[in-house]
PDB file of all heavy atoms in Angstrom:
ATOM      1  N   ARG D 300      -3.741  24.457  15.056  1.00 97.00           N
ATOM      2  CA  ARG D 300      -2.903  25.269  15.933  1.00 97.00           C
ATOM      3  C   ARG D 300      -3.604  25.492  17.266  1.00 97.00           C
ATOM      4  O   ARG D 300      -4.835  25.530  17.335  1.00 97.00           O
ATOM      5  CB  ARG D 300      -2.559  26.593  15.294  1.00 97.00           C
ATOM      6  CG  ARG D 300      -3.721  27.552  15.156  1.00 97.00           C
ATOM      7  CD  ARG D 300      -3.301  28.922  14.620  1.00 97.00           C
ATOM      8  NE  ARG D 300      -4.457  29.802  14.516  1.00 97.00           N
ATOM      9  CZ  ARG D 300      -5.226  29.894  13.451  1.00 97.00           C
ATOM     10  NH1 ARG D 300      -4.992  29.131  12.395  1.00 97.00           N
ATOM     11  NH2 ARG D 300      -6.249  30.734  13.437  1.00 97.00           N
ATOM     12  N   ALA D 301      -2.802  25.602  18.313  1.00 96.00           N
ATOM     13  CA  ALA D 301      -3.366  25.847  19.642  1.00 96.00           C
ATOM     14  C   ALA D 301      -3.986  27.218  19.721  1.00 96.00           C
ATOM     15  O   ALA D 301      -3.421  28.202  19.243  1.00 96.00           O
ATOM     16  CB  ALA D 301      -2.238  25.716  20.699  1.00 96.00           C
ATOM     17  N   GLU D 302      -5.220  27.235  20.294  1.00 93.00           N
ATOM     18  CA  GLU D 302      -5.952  28.519  20.374  1.00 93.00           C
ATOM     19  C   GLU D 302      -6.954  28.448  21.516  1.00 93.00           C
ATOM     20  O   GLU D 302      -7.857  27.573  21.521  1.00 93.00           O
ATOM     21  CB  GLU D 302      -6.662  28.774  19.044  1.00 93.00           C
ATOM     22  CG  GLU D 302      -7.319  30.135  18.978  1.00 93.00           C
ATOM     23  CD  GLU D 302      -7.919  30.415  17.589  1.00 93.00           C
ATOM     24  OE1 GLU D 302      -7.143  30.692  16.692  1.00 93.00           O
ATOM     25  OE2 GLU D 302      -9.161  30.299  17.457  1.00 93.00           O
ATOM     26  N   GLY D 303      -6.763  29.326  22.499  1.00 89.00           N
ATOM     27  CA  GLY D 303      -7.719  29.411  23.594  1.00 89.00           C
ATOM     28  C   GLY D 303      -7.950  28.123  24.358  1.00 89.00           C
ATOM     29  O   GLY D 303      -9.075  27.810  24.729  1.00 89.00           O
ATOM     30  N   GLY D 304      -6.904  27.384  24.605  1.00 87.00           N
ATOM     31  CA  GLY D 304      -7.012  26.141  25.343  1.00 87.00           C
ATOM     32  C   GLY D 304      -7.526  24.964  24.535  1.00 87.00           C
ATOM     33  O   GLY D 304      -7.723  23.859  25.037  1.00 87.00           O
ATOM     34  N   GLY D 305      -7.755  25.177  23.244  1.00 93.00           N
ATOM     35  CA  GLY D 305      -8.211  24.112  22.354  1.00 93.00           C
ATOM     36  C   GLY D 305      -7.436  24.145  21.062  1.00 93.00           C
ATOM     37  O   GLY D 305      -6.278  24.586  21.026  1.00 93.00           O
ATOM     38  N   TRP D 306      -8.051  23.656  19.987  1.00 97.00           N
ATOM     39  CA  TRP D 306      -7.389  23.573  18.706  1.00 97.00           C
ATOM     40  C   TRP D 306      -8.254  24.184  17.612  1.00 97.00           C
ATOM     41  O   TRP D 306      -9.452  23.912  17.543  1.00 97.00           O
ATOM     42  CB  TRP D 306      -7.094  22.098  18.382  1.00 97.00           C
ATOM     43  CG  TRP D 306      -6.084  21.512  19.330  1.00 97.00           C
ATOM     44  CD1 TRP D 306      -6.358  20.743  20.395  1.00 97.00           C
ATOM     45  CD2 TRP D 306      -4.672  21.687  19.289  1.00 97.00           C
ATOM     46  NE1 TRP D 306      -5.195  20.440  21.070  1.00 97.00           N
ATOM     47  CE2 TRP D 306      -4.147  20.995  20.372  1.00 97.00           C
ATOM     48  CE3 TRP D 306      -3.803  22.399  18.443  1.00 97.00           C
ATOM     49  CZ2 TRP D 306      -2.792  20.949  20.676  1.00 97.00           C
ATOM     50  CZ3 TRP D 306      -2.456  22.364  18.702  1.00 97.00           C
ATOM     51  CH2 TRP D 306      -1.948  21.642  19.794  1.00 97.00           C
ATOM     52  N   ALA D 307      -7.605  25.004  16.778  1.00 97.00           N
ATOM     53  CA  ALA D 307      -8.302  25.610  15.676  1.00 97.00           C
ATOM     54  C   ALA D 307      -7.727  24.992  14.393  1.00 97.00           C
ATOM     55  O   ALA D 307      -6.529  24.842  14.216  1.00 97.00           O
ATOM     56  CB  ALA D 307      -8.080  27.124  15.633  1.00 97.00           C
ATOM     57  N   ALA D 308      -8.641  24.673  13.463  1.00 97.00           N
ATOM     58  CA  ALA D 308      -8.245  24.055  12.201  1.00 97.00           C
ATOM     59  C   ALA D 308      -7.414  25.023  11.374  1.00 97.00           C
ATOM     60  O   ALA D 308      -7.661  26.216  11.350  1.00 97.00           O
ATOM     61  CB  ALA D 308      -9.437  23.583  11.412  1.00 97.00           C
ATOM     62  N   ILE D 309      -6.409  24.497  10.710  1.00 97.00           N
ATOM     63  CA  ILE D 309      -5.638  25.254   9.707  1.00 97.00           C
ATOM     64  C   ILE D 309      -5.678  24.473   8.399  1.00 97.00           C
ATOM     65  O   ILE D 309      -6.057  23.302   8.393  1.00 97.00           O
ATOM     66  CB  ILE D 309      -4.164  25.471  10.133  1.00 97.00           C
ATOM     67  CG1 ILE D 309      -3.446  24.102  10.281  1.00 97.00           C
ATOM     68  CG2 ILE D 309      -4.093  26.267  11.430  1.00 97.00           C
ATOM     69  CD1 ILE D 309      -1.974  24.225  10.576  1.00 97.00           C
ATOM     70  N   THR D 310      -5.331  25.133   7.309  1.00 97.00           N
ATOM     71  CA  THR D 310      -5.213  24.402   6.063  1.00 97.00           C
ATOM     72  C   THR D 310      -4.109  23.361   6.202  1.00 97.00           C
ATOM     73  O   THR D 310      -2.963  23.753   6.463  1.00 97.00           O
ATOM     74  CB  THR D 310      -4.912  25.342   4.894  1.00 97.00           C
ATOM     75  OG1 THR D 310      -5.944  26.296   4.784  1.00 97.00           O
ATOM     76  CG2 THR D 310      -4.797  24.574   3.553  1.00 97.00           C
ATOM     77  N   PRO D 311      -4.410  22.089   6.093  1.00 97.00           N
ATOM     78  CA  PRO D 311      -3.382  21.069   6.320  1.00 97.00           C
ATOM     79  C   PRO D 311      -2.130  21.283   5.468  1.00 97.00           C
ATOM     80  O   PRO D 311      -2.217  21.700   4.315  1.00 97.00           O
ATOM     81  CB  PRO D 311      -4.085  19.792   5.948  1.00 97.00           C
ATOM     82  CG  PRO D 311      -5.550  20.071   6.184  1.00 97.00           C
ATOM     83  CD  PRO D 311      -5.714  21.494   5.773  1.00 97.00           C
ATOM     84  N   ARG D 312      -0.991  21.051   6.077  1.00 97.00           N
ATOM     85  CA  ARG D 312       0.283  21.207   5.447  1.00 97.00           C
ATOM     86  C   ARG D 312       1.101  19.939   5.619  1.00 97.00           C
ATOM     87  O   ARG D 312       1.263  19.459   6.764  1.00 97.00           O
ATOM     88  CB  ARG D 312       1.032  22.399   6.017  1.00 97.00           C
ATOM     89  CG  ARG D 312       2.343  22.725   5.366  1.00 97.00           C
ATOM     90  CD  ARG D 312       3.008  23.941   5.990  1.00 97.00           C
ATOM     91  NE  ARG D 312       3.684  23.617   7.260  1.00 97.00           N
ATOM     92  CZ  ARG D 312       3.229  23.915   8.454  1.00 97.00           C
ATOM     93  NH1 ARG D 312       2.035  24.492   8.598  1.00 97.00           N
ATOM     94  NH2 ARG D 312       3.920  23.587   9.545  1.00 97.00           N
ATOM     95  N   GLN D 313       1.589  19.372   4.511  1.00 96.00           N
ATOM     96  CA  GLN D 313       2.409  18.132   4.627  1.00 96.00           C
ATOM     97  C   GLN D 313       3.847  18.555   4.911  1.00 96.00           C
ATOM     98  O   GLN D 313       4.414  19.415   4.233  1.00 96.00           O
ATOM     99  CB  GLN D 313       2.310  17.288   3.371  1.00 96.00           C
ATOM    100  CG  GLN D 313       3.068  15.956   3.496  1.00 96.00           C
ATOM    101  CD  GLN D 313       2.782  15.032   2.342  1.00 96.00           C
ATOM    102  OE1 GLN D 313       2.040  15.341   1.420  1.00 96.00           O
ATOM    103  NE2 GLN D 313       3.431  13.866   2.353  1.00 96.00           N
ATOM    104  N   LEU D 314       4.438  17.890   5.879  1.00 95.00           N
ATOM    105  CA  LEU D 314       5.824  18.194   6.259  1.00 95.00           C
ATOM    106  C   LEU D 314       6.770  17.308   5.438  1.00 95.00           C
ATOM    107  O   LEU D 314       6.462  16.145   5.110  1.00 95.00           O
ATOM    108  CB  LEU D 314       6.018  17.942   7.732  1.00 95.00           C
ATOM    109  CG  LEU D 314       5.077  18.747   8.662  1.00 95.00           C
ATOM    110  CD1 LEU D 314       5.375  18.442  10.120  1.00 95.00           C
ATOM    111  CD2 LEU D 314       5.224  20.246   8.392  1.00 95.00           C
ATOM    112  N   ARG D 315       7.932  17.851   5.158  1.00 88.00           N
ATOM    113  CA  ARG D 315       8.923  17.142   4.355  1.00 88.00           C
ATOM    114  C   ARG D 315       9.477  15.963   5.119  1.00 88.00           C
ATOM    115  O   ARG D 315       9.937  16.119   6.272  1.00 88.00           O
ATOM    116  CB  ARG D 315      10.034  18.084   3.982  1.00 88.00           C
ATOM    117  CG  ARG D 315      11.115  17.504   3.123  1.00 88.00           C
ATOM    118  CD  ARG D 315      12.179  18.534   2.799  1.00 88.00           C
ATOM    119  NE  ARG D 315      13.256  17.971   2.003  1.00 88.00           N
ATOM    120  CZ  ARG D 315      14.321  18.638   1.626  1.00 88.00           C
ATOM    121  NH1 ARG D 315      14.497  19.904   2.055  1.00 88.00           N
ATOM    122  NH2 ARG D 315      15.264  18.058   0.921  1.00 88.00           N
ATOM    123  N   PRO D 316       9.463  14.781   4.541  1.00 80.00           N
ATOM    124  CA  PRO D 316      10.021  13.617   5.263  1.00 80.00           C
ATOM    125  C   PRO D 316      11.516  13.793   5.536  1.00 80.00           C
ATOM    126  O   PRO D 316      12.252  14.436   4.760  1.00 80.00           O
ATOM    127  CB  PRO D 316       9.806  12.448   4.280  1.00 80.00           C
ATOM    128  CG  PRO D 316       8.730  12.918   3.358  1.00 80.00           C
ATOM    129  CD  PRO D 316       8.909  14.405   3.250  1.00 80.00           C
ATOM    130  N   ALA D 317      11.968  13.223   6.635  1.00 73.00           N
ATOM    131  CA  ALA D 317      13.384  13.383   7.062  1.00 73.00           C
ATOM    132  C   ALA D 317      14.320  12.713   6.093  1.00 73.00           C
ATOM    133  O   ALA D 317      15.514  13.067   6.055  1.00 73.00           O
ATOM    134  CB  ALA D 317      13.551  12.786   8.467  1.00 73.00           C
ATOM    135  N   TYR D 318      13.868  11.731   5.298  1.00 68.00           N
ATOM    136  CA  TYR D 318      14.768  11.013   4.416  1.00 68.00           C
ATOM    137  C   TYR D 318      15.031  11.715   3.104  1.00 68.00           C
ATOM    138  O   TYR D 318      15.728  11.190   2.237  1.00 68.00           O
ATOM    139  CB  TYR D 318      14.293   9.595   4.199  1.00 68.00           C
ATOM    140  CG  TYR D 318      12.883   9.483   3.703  1.00 68.00           C
ATOM    141  CD1 TYR D 318      12.569   9.764   2.381  1.00 68.00           C
ATOM    142  CD2 TYR D 318      11.852   9.066   4.558  1.00 68.00           C
ATOM    143  CE1 TYR D 318      11.238   9.658   1.935  1.00 68.00           C
ATOM    144  CE2 TYR D 318      10.548   8.952   4.110  1.00 68.00           C
ATOM    145  CZ  TYR D 318      10.264   9.245   2.803  1.00 68.00           C
ATOM    146  OH  TYR D 318       8.964   9.155   2.354  1.00 68.00           O
ATOM    147  N   GLU D 319      14.459  12.880   2.888  1.00 69.00           N
ATOM    148  CA  GLU D 319      14.737  13.642   1.673  1.00 69.00           C
ATOM    149  C   GLU D 319      16.048  14.408   1.843  1.00 69.00           C
ATOM    150  O   GLU D 319      16.466  14.724   2.935  1.00 69.00           O
ATOM    151  CB  GLU D 319      13.584  14.599   1.360  1.00 69.00           C
ATOM    152  CG  GLU D 319      12.318  13.881   0.914  1.00 69.00           C
ATOM    153  CD  GLU D 319      11.260  14.866   0.442  1.00 69.00           C
ATOM    154  OE1 GLU D 319      11.512  16.114   0.446  1.00 69.00           O
ATOM    155  OE2 GLU D 319      10.159  14.410   0.024  1.00 69.00           O
ATOM    156  N   GLY D 320      16.696  14.738   0.742  1.00 68.00           N
ATOM    157  CA  GLY D 320      17.955  15.467   0.779  1.00 68.00           C
ATOM    158  C   GLY D 320      19.136  14.522   0.904  1.00 68.00           C
ATOM    159  O   GLY D 320      18.987  13.283   1.064  1.00 68.00           O
ATOM    160  N   GLU D 321      20.329  15.110   0.888  1.00 72.00           N
ATOM    161  CA  GLU D 321      21.561  14.295   0.921  1.00 72.00           C
ATOM    162  C   GLU D 321      21.703  13.516   2.212  1.00 72.00           C
ATOM    163  O   GLU D 321      22.008  12.312   2.182  1.00 72.00           O
ATOM    164  CB  GLU D 321      22.778  15.221   0.725  1.00 72.00           C
ATOM    165  CG  GLU D 321      24.087  14.497   0.492  1.00 72.00           C
ATOM    166  CD  GLU D 321      24.102  13.720  -0.817  1.00 72.00           C
ATOM    167  OE1 GLU D 321      23.427  14.144  -1.778  1.00 72.00           O
ATOM    168  OE2 GLU D 321      24.771  12.653  -0.863  1.00 72.00           O
ATOM    169  N   GLN D 322      21.504  14.196   3.340  1.00 72.00           N
ATOM    170  CA  GLN D 322      21.595  13.484   4.594  1.00 72.00           C
ATOM    171  C   GLN D 322      20.528  12.420   4.753  1.00 72.00           C
ATOM    172  O   GLN D 322      20.775  11.328   5.316  1.00 72.00           O
ATOM    173  CB  GLN D 322      21.512  14.482   5.779  1.00 72.00           C
ATOM    174  CG  GLN D 322      22.696  15.418   5.889  1.00 72.00           C
ATOM    175  CD  GLN D 322      22.601  16.310   7.098  1.00 72.00           C
ATOM    176  OE1 GLN D 322      21.504  16.558   7.607  1.00 72.00           O
ATOM    177  NE2 GLN D 322      23.754  16.854   7.516  1.00 72.00           N
ATOM    178  N   GLY D 323      19.371  12.732   4.232  1.00 73.00           N
ATOM    179  CA  GLY D 323      18.257  11.738   4.283  1.00 73.00           C
ATOM    180  C   GLY D 323      18.579  10.500   3.494  1.00 73.00           C
ATOM    181  O   GLY D 323      18.287   9.389   3.937  1.00 73.00           O
ATOM    182  N   ARG D 324      19.180  10.661   2.332  1.00 77.00           N
ATOM    183  CA  ARG D 324      19.530   9.488   1.527  1.00 77.00           C
ATOM    184  C   ARG D 324      20.559   8.610   2.225  1.00 77.00           C
ATOM    185  O   ARG D 324      20.517   7.410   2.131  1.00 77.00           O
ATOM    186  CB  ARG D 324      20.018   9.944   0.148  1.00 77.00           C
ATOM    187  CG  ARG D 324      18.897  10.433  -0.753  1.00 77.00           C
ATOM    188  CD  ARG D 324      19.391  10.641  -2.175  1.00 77.00           C
ATOM    189  NE  ARG D 324      20.282  11.792  -2.285  1.00 77.00           N
ATOM    190  CZ  ARG D 324      19.868  13.021  -2.529  1.00 77.00           C
ATOM    191  NH1 ARG D 324      18.557  13.279  -2.682  1.00 77.00           N
ATOM    192  NH2 ARG D 324      20.730  14.022  -2.628  1.00 77.00           N
ATOM    193  N   ALA D 325      21.502   9.264   2.888  1.00 82.00           N
ATOM    194  CA  ALA D 325      22.495   8.512   3.668  1.00 82.00           C
ATOM    195  C   ALA D 325      21.811   7.740   4.801  1.00 82.00           C
ATOM    196  O   ALA D 325      22.157   6.583   5.088  1.00 82.00           O
ATOM    197  CB  ALA D 325      23.543   9.450   4.200  1.00 82.00           C
TER     198      ALA D 325
END
Side-chain angles (χ1 to χ4, degrees):
R300 68 173 181 273
E302 186 175 284
W306 294 98
I309 62 174
T310 300
R312 183 179 79 257
Q313 185 171 359
L314 304 180
R315 182 180 178 183
Y318 53 76
E319 291 187 359
E321 190 65 31
Q322 292 183 339
R324 286 191 289 271

